[in-house]
């Protein structure tokens, strides 16, 4: 095969970044100096192709070291992995965090999404650009949601080098953002994770919580502290009762996925465990990119060993020997915490070849995302891990039959997996007694926007929206509440008695989604908010299918036209929006296109946004 490599050559820094990941090249076919033997035959091609899944880590290595990905660097990485450069270019340009054009070594990402937009992100961005000036050597980029909604507005500074340096400022001022960009090492430390859990400081304290009870209480870097607070008791019980009994407990508990689809977890596990093909894989989806969502980040930062234990339990149940944790690229602190937890667990015999002396082998590999909302869809995530563009696959076959690397795969998000621990510790019946008959257990809600105490709240299913907002301290002048994030729907202030359950929100014509609750008062311009949602979906569409690729563009264009018009003047565009929305919902391959019209539709029909 002629891979058509370009003439660009990697710099020493770029070559060192790739070699640090892949090891030194063994022949000139991989970029080493040419020898006589290399002229006669190629060696290692099959082995290199089997490492295609290292393409995304390789792109991260270059981007972290240099700040962008040049033609020479991309070509060298392609030689090392025997990947056609055209394909690698398609992957590199798919992700928002990578650049194939020269840019400064320091990039400041300023979140301009829903929560931050309402907290003055536009003014912050203008102030930062003026404060840094044109010769600062810092690139300022407007970013989608950084998952720091409880501390809006937020910025993330990334300085390329060896090692790469990051700094977060939230809530950010012009001064703190400029400091984070100009001197990441000197920037103040992030707020403690417990600050994102307002209930932790309440009268009930952590004792009243289940999933969040260790956040702010246990040192997230100390394995012994975790074990002293009940850690690894669930894994020991799993080993005592066996894989089939673990799946039975999860099934009888009524646990469903917490990422928005609400698929029964026990059924997914059973379907994977029963597949004769080997190996089986476990994938933890920690790429929460829904605007307004940050619960998984809080769990990983505040209780990382719980996730490691939960993944081990799930792997034991389904017979997986390898797990992949796909972590959002915008979460530097979560990455450090989880990486440390995995390393410590491995060193203490809680990961590896013989966990707790039970003869069970399982290990976790962390893969970083690079800024692509679509990779929250499970099959797009699989493609991303395998080194391809993060585009969804058609189903069937389903992941439980042919998932990651074409093998049976279980995929769950962080909150779903962490729920497995109380199921085993309490028992299925006790867990199922929490919540309602159709929605069992506790649920985490990400509350942000026009509230006094934004953060992650844990409530049993069945609590009302009004009760949740009362805990968060909703401000006067409430105009609307967005449930489920950009892919969700709006409800009115007179609908706060809505029960927060999957069945209750469905009956009310909206969705619970992943647990996003964003409150907006009457100071927030609703048309501008809807336009930002449309811009988000247009930017995040992978472009694979026509209904979504074209529909998201037409939706944004129509909302632009009617932003300054109302009533009869906008009626034609509203009718067009409905037609485009129905086409996206009915014909898009995945949930992105199918839900891109939801929030706009609910704002028109429930809130009278353009009347």
């Amino acid at each position: 095969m002629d891979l058509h490599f370009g003439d660009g050559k990697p710099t020493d820094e770029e070559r060192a970044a790739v070699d640090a990941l892949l090891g030194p090249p063994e022949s000139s076919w991989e970029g080493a100096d040419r020898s006589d033997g290399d002229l006669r035959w190629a060696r290692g091609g099959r082995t290199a192709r089997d490492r295609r899944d290292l393409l995304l880590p390789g792109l991260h290595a270059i981007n972290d070291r240099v700040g962008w990905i040049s033609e020479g660097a991309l070509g060298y990485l392609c030689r090392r992995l025997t990947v056609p450069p055209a394909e690698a270019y398609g992957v590199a340009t798919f992700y928002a965090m990578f650049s194939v054009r020269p840019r400064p070594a320091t990039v400041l990402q300023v979140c301009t999404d829903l929560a931050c937009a309402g907290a003055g992100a536009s003014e912050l961005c203008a102030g930062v650009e003026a404060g840094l000036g044109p010769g600062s050597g810092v690139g300022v980029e407007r970013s989608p949601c950084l998952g720091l909604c409880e501390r809006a507005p937020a910025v993330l500074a990334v300085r390329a080098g060896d090692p790469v340096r990051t700094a977060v400022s939230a809530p950010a001022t012009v001064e703190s953002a400029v400091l984070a960009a100009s001197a990441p090492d000197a920037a103040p430390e992030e707020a403690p994770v417990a600050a994102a859990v307002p209930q932790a400081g309440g009268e009930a304290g952590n004792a009243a919580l289940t999933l969040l009870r260790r956040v702010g209480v246990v040192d997230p870097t100390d394995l012994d502290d975790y074990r002293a607070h009940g850690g690894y008791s669930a894994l020991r019980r799993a080993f005592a009762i066996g894989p089939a009994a673990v799946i039975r407990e999860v099934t009888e508990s009524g646990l469903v996925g917490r990422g928005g689809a609400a698929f029964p977890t026990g059924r997914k596990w059973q379907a994977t465990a029963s597949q004769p093909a080997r190996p089986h894989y476990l994938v933890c989806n920690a790429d929460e990119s829904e605007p307004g969502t940050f619960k998984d980040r809080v769990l990983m930062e505040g209780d990382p060993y719980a996730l490691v234990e939960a993944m081990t339990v799930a792997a034991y149940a389904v017979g997986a020997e390898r797990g992949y944790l796909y972590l959002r690229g915008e979460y530097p602190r979560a990455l450090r915490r989880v990486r440390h937890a995995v390393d410590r667990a491995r060193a203490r015999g809680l990961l590896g070849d013989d966990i707790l002396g039970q003869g069970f082998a399982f290990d976790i590999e962390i893969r970083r995302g690079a800024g692509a909302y679509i990779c929250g869809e499970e099959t797009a995530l699989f493609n991303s891990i395998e080194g391809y563009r993060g585009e969804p696959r058609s189903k069937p076959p389903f992941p439980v039959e042919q998932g990651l690397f074409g093998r049976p795969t279980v995929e769950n998000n962080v909150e779903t997996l962490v729920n497995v621990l109380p199921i085993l510790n309490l028992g299925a019946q006790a867990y199922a007694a929490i919540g309602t008959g159709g929605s069992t257990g506790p649920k985490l809600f990400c509350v942000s926007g026009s509230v006094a105490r934004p953060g992650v709240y844990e409530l049993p299913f069945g609590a009302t929206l009004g009760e949740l907002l009362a805990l968060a301290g909703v401000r006067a002048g409430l105009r609307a509440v967005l449930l489920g994030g950009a892919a969700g729907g709006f409800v009115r202030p007179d609908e706060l008695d809505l029960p927060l359950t999957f069945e209750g929100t469905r009956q009310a014509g909206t969705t619970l989604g992943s647990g996003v609750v964003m409150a907006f008062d009457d100071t927030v311009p609703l048309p501008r908010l809807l336009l930002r949602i449309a811009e988000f979906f247009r930017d995040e569409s992978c472009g694979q299918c026509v209904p979504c690729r074209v529909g998201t563009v037409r939706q944004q264009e129509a909302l632009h036209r009617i932003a300054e018009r109302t009533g009869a003047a906008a009626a034609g565009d509203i009718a067009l929006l409905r037609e485009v929305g129905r086409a996206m919902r009915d014909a898009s391959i995945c949930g992105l296109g199918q839900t891109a019209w939801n929030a706009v539709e609910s704002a028109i029909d429930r809130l009278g946004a353009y009347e």
Side-chain angles (χ1 to χ4, degrees):
M1 178 193 301
D2 185 357
L3 297 184
H4 297 289
F5 290 106
D7 295 329
K9 303 296 182 184
T11 65
D12 291 342
E13 279 288 291
E14 292 166 341
R15 183 184 292 269
V18 174
D19 291 350
L21 175 72
L22 303 178
E26 296 182 358
S27 71
S28 65
W29 297 95
E30 293 185 345
D33 294 334
R34 187 176 296 277
S35 66
D36 291 340
D38 293 331
L39 298 177
R40 298 188 180 95
W41 65 83
R43 292 176 294 171
R46 183 179 299 276
T47 302
R49 285 191 292 275
D50 288 342
R51 297 194 298 175
R52 167 80 187 236
D53 66 296
L54 294 178
L55 179 59
L56 183 58
L59 295 171
H60 268 298
I62 298 168
N63 198 72
D64 287 348
R65 183 76 68 96
V66 183
W68 67 288
I69 302 165
S70 69
E71 178 185 345
L74 187 65
Y76 181 63
L77 179 61
C78 289
R79 286 186 184 277
R80 298 299 314 276
L81 298 176
T82 319
V83 174
E87 290 188 20
Y89 182 84
V91 174
T93 54
F94 186 83
Y95 298 98
M97 296 183 72
F98 297 148
S99 174
V100 295
R101 294 182 176 87
R103 66 178 177 183
T106 301
V107 174
L108 185 70
Q109 299 180 31
V110 182
C111 178
T112 57
D113 234 314
L114 305 181
C116 289
S122 296
E123 295 79 4
L124 173 64
C125 199
V128 168
E129 289 174 335
L132 289 170
S136 64
V138 175
V140 179
E141 297 181 355
R142 288 161 174 79
S143 167
C145 183
L146 294 174
L148 296 163
C149 312
E150 84 281 12
R151 290 181 272 151
V155 301
L156 170 65
V158 181
R159 175 172 290 183
D162 184 20
V164 63
R165 291 173 172 82
T166 61
V168 168
S169 178
T173 62
V174 172
E175 294 74 18
S176 68
V178 169
L179 177 61
S182 56
D185 292 337
E189 290 189 11
E190 282 191 68
V193 183
V197 185
Q199 289 169 304
E203 295 180 2
N206 282 324
L209 305 177
T210 300
L211 305 179
L212 299 173
R213 67 186 180 91
R214 282 185 287 261
V215 177
V217 175
V218 171
D219 181 352
T221 66
D222 191 337
L223 176 55
D224 291 327
D225 198 9
Y226 173 71
R227 297 182 76 166
H229 286 80
Y232 281 95
S233 58
L235 180 60
R236 292 185 182 278
R237 181 161 188 261
F239 284 145
I241 64 177
V246 171
I247 294 177
R248 186 165 57 250
E249 287 279 293
V250 172
T251 302
E252 293 177 355
S253 73
L255 175 66
V256 299
R258 300 299 200 241
F263 189 85
T265 304
R267 282 176 53 192
K268 182 184 290 189
W269 287 17
Q270 181 59 54
T272 305
S274 62
Q275 294 294 321
R278 288 290 190 270
H280 292 178
Y281 290 105
L282 169 70
V283 174
C284 174
N285 183 350
D287 191 55
E288 56 171 3
S289 303
E290 186 71 51
T293 309
F294 49 94
K295 57 187 175 60
D296 290 353
R297 189 205 88 225
V298 170
L299 287 172
M300 289 185 290
E301 291 180 350
D303 199 10
Y305 288 106
L307 177 58
V308 175
E309 180 185 3
M311 289 183 68
T312 309
V313 171
Y316 176 67
V318 304
E321 294 186 0
R322 176 160 288 276
Y324 288 87
L325 173 59
Y326 191 91
L327 179 62
R328 245 196 116 178
E330 296 91 342
Y331 284 175
R333 182 161 70 174
L335 174 63
R336 292 192 300 269
R337 294 277 172 86
V338 175
R339 182 177 285 163
H340 176 81
V342 168
D343 291 342
R344 292 299 301 150
R346 188 181 296 120
R348 297 280 290 274
L350 297 168
L351 287 175
D353 293 333
D354 186 16
I355 298 175
L356 291 177
Q358 297 294 316
F360 171 61
F362 174 68
D363 211 339
I364 297 173
E365 185 172 343
I366 299 174
R367 291 294 178 91
R368 292 163 58 198
Y373 171 76
I374 190 62
C375 287
E377 197 278 338
E378 58 185 357
T379 61
L381 188 155
F382 299 157
N383 277 339
S384 181
I385 291 176
E386 292 177 18
Y388 297 93
R389 289 168 60 88
E391 296 174 343
R393 304 172 185 173
S394 297
K395 303 174 188 176
F398 294 97
V400 296
E401 302 164 328
Q402 295 181 32
L404 185 64
F405 303 119
R407 297 298 179 179
T409 304
V410 159
E411 182 267 353
N412 293 121
N413 74 347
V414 174
E415 184 188 356
T416 307
L417 287 166
V418 171
N419 266 275
V420 173
L421 304 183
I423 290 173
L424 291 179
N425 287 327
L426 298 175
Q429 299 308 315
Y431 179 91
I434 303 171
T436 67
S439 300
T440 63
K443 178 73 184 81
L444 300 183
F445 296 95
C446 306
V447 185
S448 60
S450 302
V451 295
R453 295 176 294 279
V456 178
Y457 288 82
E458 180 184 322
L459 292 175
F461 277 113
T464 67
L465 178 58
E467 291 170 345
L468 174 60
L469 290 177
L471 286 175
V474 66
R475 297 172 187 163
L478 182 66
R479 172 75 170 89
V481 179
L482 179 60
L483 295 181
F490 287 95
V491 298
R492 300 186 303 271
D494 61 354
E495 298 178 294
L496 299 187
D497 59 348
L498 176 71
L500 295 174
T501 61
F502 292 113
E503 63 273 18
T505 52
R506 278 195 297 267
Q507 291 172 4
T510 184
T511 179
L512 195 62
S514 60
V516 175
V517 178
M518 303 184 77
F520 299 100
D521 59 26
D522 49 18
T523 65
V524 178
L526 196 55
R528 177 59 210 167
L529 189 69
L530 297 179
L531 184 57
R532 179 67 191 99
I533 291 174
E535 291 170 348
F536 172 81
F537 281 113
R538 175 178 179 168
D539 290 342
E540 296 296 341
S541 172
C542 74
Q544 180 182 194
C545 67
V546 172
C548 180
R549 181 176 71 243
V550 177
T552 53
V553 175
R554 296 292 172 262
Q555 178 173 263
Q556 182 191 358
E557 291 172 345
L559 289 172
H560 262 299
R561 287 194 296 269
I562 66 177
E564 303 299 329
R565 296 179 293 159
T566 56
D573 278 319
I574 290 175
L576 174 64
L577 280 170
R578 294 187 186 279
E579 182 178 351
V580 169
R582 284 193 297 269
M584 288 193 293
R585 183 175 294 163
D586 293 342
S588 296
I589 288 177
C590 78
L592 188 150
Q594 294 164 9
T595 60
W597 153 245
N598 286 0
V600 179
E601 179 184 36
S602 66
I604 293 172
D605 293 341
R606 298 178 88 111
L607 304 180
Y610 298 108
E611 294 177 358

